[in-house]
Every structure is written in structure tokens, then in C-alpha cells.
Amino acid sequence: MAKPVSTKPRAVADFKTATDLLNVLPMTAEVKNGHLYVGGVDMVTLAREAGTALYVMDEETIATQLSDYIKWTRYHWKEVDVVYAGKAFLSRAMVQLVDAEGCCLDVSSGGELALALSAGFDPARIYVHGNNKTDEELNECLDAGVGRIVVDSFEELEQLSTMASERGIEQSILIRVTPGIEADTHDYIKTGAEDSKFGFGLNSGNAFRAVKRAAELPGIDFEGLHIHIGSQIYALQSFSAAIEVIVAFIAKIRDELGIETRLLDTGGGLGVAYGVPDEPATIKEYGKVVIDDIKEECEKHDLTVPRMAVEPGRSIVANSGITLYTVGVIKVIPDIRTYVSVDGGMSDNIRTSLYDAHYEALIANKADQPRTITATVAGKHCESGDIVVSDGPLQEVERGDILCVCATGAYAQSLSNNYNKQVRPGIIWVKDGTWRWVVYRETYEDLMRTDAVEGVCP
């Protein structure tokens, strides 16, 4: 059933220009001659040359976020792995940038692993996630020689032991623990509560039993623990609460099993600014809280401080990206709302339909003008819930304008789809006044490439 348009209170015209939206735009964003520029590139000219719908990402913003995570975590403790969570956005160019910045990589499927390997990423620096890894995927991980597999169930633990033993190797693993912490975020992206499809429950005793079993099994090297309490978290105390619980568990493992936990991975989840009022914590603040809290809790329990890992994804790429559309039909329904239809929608950004996510929008060719109207940016798909921005402020809009939706670098392309046989947009990276394709736009031929037709062999 189609999801209805949001009934939450409507935004009002806020008279802000693009200059007032810099907190949700890439760090190189600026306004020149009335147009929005990112990475020194005119977004209006780019849209008209490369076509829309189009994802645009600022390479400088991504590289800065990666390096800041390394800087502000290792400032407090030298042995920290910054593990980019590829689920947020992944391409060969992204893998190579992660590599160049000295970070590790988190993959969650055989496809993500294959892409990483095709880009030349060192498998020893790969962490593998997934609550239902197939036997094929586990074989691919072992054959590739991945550094760490995050184990999510007893069944997986036993299967991995058998597979590793058959190869005569020991596979380093982390046990994923659900610590029972309710992060202050959307229900769909909470992952640390007891009632979760992910990991072993701490309060049920399953996490302890999993560690004990891992230590007994051949082919398994228990290296440590992994927790992840959710995504888009603004309240740093949520991380503090989870760290307090998990370090106490590490002490229990030492005291009752005599086993050392050599690595603690606290997952990701730091929130980003999607709206003008949003004020997420900085990477500097996050690094201090997470790393110092682990050190303090270890001191409290007389534990050796383990190697640490953090897994940022969204906060690396979200604000590096924008999506450009061309405005089509504009429909004014008196006393109800104005619909501004664009040449994309839930096929290139399903988060608004899925999570009721909020985005800021602006007209890239009128970037110096104030947002004087309120409009709903609608997609072109056969769903009434195909909404990109619900009742948001916008400049006066005309057919043919280039509309920009901000902060779409995370999960927009990752969750994109071919609904209504819509081709998925390409991805362009901008830097120092130049642009390049990193993922080409799909074609109609791409849509039909795997379609089996009688008498025609692929």
C-alpha cells in the first residue's frame, strides 16, 4: 500500500539562501553568480552537461572526514582502526580513497567484498559483517583472507569453524554483542536493543556463551567484541552507556573464562546534519568520548586497554553529497500544497518514503535567492508516497530549474532501485574545479542485461 504524504506540521518559507545552508552542504560549497558551486564546479552547468537525476559528491569533504576520524581517535589512543562502513556508499573510487587515507573497510555482503577486492584493497584490512552470511560468502571471505569476520550467530560460529579447519587456518573473529542500549534514533536504525536481528544478547547470556564457544572451537581465533547501537545518533551519552556495559562484559570474560579481549569495535552511528537546525557532535567530540570512555572503563576494571575500532559510514559521506534534478510539472493545489515534480524520486532516494527522512532543498540556478515558498518535492513514480522532500522551504520555482537536495551522500545511492524501470543515476566526483564519473548512469540496455528472453542467450 502506498505511504501517504507526511501529515507532520508543514515547514514555512524561511527566506534562507544557499549560503545559509552550508552546514548541510559539502565543505567546498559556495554561491557564485547566483549558482551553486561544489568543488569549484558550477552545479547548474554540470547538471545540463551530464544530465539529471545525478548524484554529485565532493572528494575533498570525504577525504577530510576520513582523515579527521584518524586524527581525533588516534589522538587519544594510537591503536585505533577507522573502519569505513561501505554500506553507506561504495564504489571503486571510494574504496581507493579509503585505502589512500589509511583506513580499514567494513563490508556486509559478497558483492561489497568483491568490489573491494576488485579495487585492490588489502583483504587483511577488511572487516566482514552480516546477520545471515551465506556459506558462499563465508567461503569467499576465507579464500580472500579477510582480516576479521564479525560473527552474528551460533550457527555461523560453528560453520566458520568447520570451514576454517578444513583449510588449516585460524580465522580472526569478533563476537557481535547487542548490549541492550536503546539509542535515541529512528526505530528502523536501532540495532543495540535486546530485541534485534543482530548479534548475541548480553542480558540473555548468549554473548557470554558465544565467547566461551569461540574459545573452544578449532579454526577460530577470538580476537574481541563488536557492538553497534544504531545510526544517526546525536546523543554521545548513548555511546558512553554502551561502552560502560561492554567493558564490564570484557572484565567478566577475563574473570570467568580467563580470556583476553584484544580488540573492541564500538561500531559507528555518529549523526549528521540533514536539516538547518541539526547540530550533531563533531568528530573531535566523538573521538574524545568514545576513546577516553573505553580507557577509563578499562582502568576501573583493571583491564589492559585493547586495540579499538570505530566504523563510521554516514558521517563520512552524507554531507559530501547532493542530488541534482530537473524540475518538471509544478502542481498547485489551493490551500493544500504545491507539488514540484522532478526526474527522479524514490528510485534514487527512498529514505523519505522509508524513514520519513528530512532533507533541505534549493534551486541551484537561484542559489542566491531566498526560499520564499513551501513546496513538496515529488518523484515521477507511480506511488503517492514517492516524496523526496515533504513540505519544505524553496525558492520560487519554474519548469527547467535545477533542484538540489542536500546531504544525500549516504544511503541514497546504496538504497537506489529500478522501480518503474527507472535507470539509476550516475555518480560524479568534483574536486578543484574538475569533475569525473565514478559510477556511470545506467542505460535501458543495463536494465535488460539480465532479462532472460526465450531463445536468446545472455
Side-chain angles (χ1 to χ4, degrees):
M1 181 179 294
K3 179 180 175 181
V5 173
S6 174
T7 56
K8 64 186 179 182
R10 299 178 66 189
V12 295
D14 60 8
F15 298 91
K16 295 183 185 297
T17 68
T19 304
D20 302 309
L21 304 178
L22 294 180
N23 71 312
V24 298
L25 283 164
M27 61 177 54
T28 62
E30 57 184 333
V31 177
K32 293 194 294 186
N33 302 319
H35 287 191
L36 175 68
Y37 279 67
V38 177
V41 176
D42 184 340
M43 293 295 100
V44 180
T45 301
L46 176 61
R48 289 174 177 158
E49 288 181 0
T52 55
L54 182 68
Y55 299 118
V56 181
M57 301 182 77
D58 178 42
E59 188 171 348
E60 183 177 335
T61 299
I62 300 171
T64 299
Q65 295 294 92
L66 288 166
S67 62
D68 278 357
Y69 264 104
I70 290 178
K71 176 180 179 179
W72 293 117
T73 55
R74 293 184 184 171
Y75 180 84
H76 300 280
W77 190 250
K78 296 302 181 187
E79 295 185 349
V80 180
D81 286 344
V82 174
V83 188
Y84 172 67
K87 61 185 178 180
F89 163 71
L90 205 62
S91 71
R92 288 189 180 96
M94 186 67 200
V95 170
Q96 290 163 352
L97 185 54
V98 169
D99 192 12
E101 294 295 331
C103 296
C104 297
L105 181 65
D106 153 15
V107 302
S108 298
S109 71
E112 289 184 354
L113 175 62
L115 189 147
L117 296 176
S118 75
F121 200 85
D122 180 3
R125 291 164 50 211
I126 292 178
Y127 288 57
V128 181
H129 283 270
N131 68 298
N132 184 32
K133 306 176 191 73
T134 66
D135 289 353
E136 182 179 10
E137 287 172 328
L138 290 176
N139 276 316
E140 290 165 353
C141 292
L142 294 172
D143 290 344
V146 299
R148 297 172 178 94
I149 296 178
V150 182
V151 173
D152 211 277
S153 68
F154 286 108
E155 182 178 353
E156 179 188 343
L157 185 58
E158 299 290 338
Q159 183 68 355
L160 188 57
S161 170
T162 299
M163 291 178 169
S165 297
E166 289 172 350
R167 287 170 169 79
I169 63 173
E170 274 204 345
Q171 175 61 52
S172 177
I173 71 156
L174 304 181
I175 294 294
R176 178 159 182 169
V177 178
T178 49
I181 300 298
E182 290 278 358
D184 183 18
T185 188
H186 192 288
D187 285 346
Y188 286 5
I189 49 179
K190 291 179 181 178
T191 58
E194 275 302 299
D195 184 6
S196 172
K197 74 172 188 175
F198 297 105
F200 299 90
L202 184 61
N203 295 333
S204 68
N206 278 339
F208 184 81
R209 287 188 285 273
V211 173
K212 184 174 185 296
R213 183 58 179 154
E216 297 168 347
L217 287 170
I220 297 295
D221 173 25
F222 169 72
E223 189 175 3
L225 304 175
H226 174 278
I227 57 172
H228 182 66
I229 58 174
S231 299
Q232 190 56 5
I233 297 169
Y234 282 5
L236 293 181
Q237 61 264 31
S238 296
F239 297 108
S240 298
I243 288 166
E244 181 179 3
V245 167
I246 200 65
V247 174
F249 181 53
I250 291 173
K252 176 183 173 71
I253 292 169
R254 176 201 59 189
D255 295 342
E256 298 187 23
L257 297 177
I259 296 172
E260 179 187 8
T261 299
R262 310 191 310 271
L263 172 64
L264 175 57
D265 185 335
T266 57
L270 180 63
V272 303
Y274 283 111
V276 173
D278 295 343
E279 295 182 356
T282 65
I283 294 173
K284 181 178 180 180
E285 292 166 337
Y286 168 85
K288 177 173 176 56
V289 166
V290 170
I291 306 304
D292 280 356
D293 278 5
I294 292 173
K295 290 159 59 180
E296 290 170 10
E297 290 299 319
C298 285
E299 182 179 0
K300 182 190 300 184
H301 292 279
D302 194 26
L303 287 163
T304 300
V305 178
R307 185 175 189 83
M308 304 177 201
V310 296
E311 296 180 347
R314 182 195 309 266
S315 58
I316 298 291
V317 292
N319 293 114
S320 76
I322 61 173
T323 306
L324 299 178
Y325 304 98
T326 300
V327 173
V329 171
I330 300 167
K331 185 175 295 185
V332 179
I333 304 177
D335 301 321
I336 299 180
R337 61 172 44 87
T338 296
Y339 286 98
V340 175
S341 295
V342 295
D343 54 349
M346 65 192 300
S347 58
D348 57 74
N349 189 351
I350 201 171
R351 293 188 68 254
T352 305
S353 299
L354 191 62
Y355 300 138
D356 200 19
H358 169 71
Y359 290 95
E360 300 285 353
L362 63 108
I363 304 299
N365 52 294
K366 300 173 181 176
D368 60 342
Q369 297 180 23
R371 301 195 296 183
T372 57
I373 68 169
T374 300
T376 286
V377 179
K380 59 180 293 183
H381 299 292
C382 297
E383 296 282 343
S384 59
D386 176 26
I387 301 299
V388 180
V389 179
S390 179
D391 290 327
L394 197 65
Q395 289 93 341
E396 292 287 341
V397 61
E398 303 167 90
R399 185 181 184 91
D401 281 342
I402 302 301
L403 187 141
C404 167
V405 176
C406 308
T408 60
Y411 295 105
Q413 192 264 354
S414 293
L415 291 168
S416 63
N417 59 82
N418 295 120
Y419 182 50
N420 289 151
K421 292 302 180 187
Q422 175 79 357
V423 296
R424 284 177 288 194
I427 305 169
I428 282 176
W429 278 16
V430 293
K431 182 181 181 181
D432 298 332
T434 63
W435 60 271
R436 64 183 172 116
W437 291 100
V438 297
V439 177
Y440 292 116
R441 175 179 285 107
E442 288 181 336
T443 65
Y444 292 151
E445 289 74 18
D446 292 327
L447 293 180
M448 294 178 276
R449 195 175 306 280
T450 57
D451 198 320
V453 180
E454 186 177 353
V456 178
C457 295

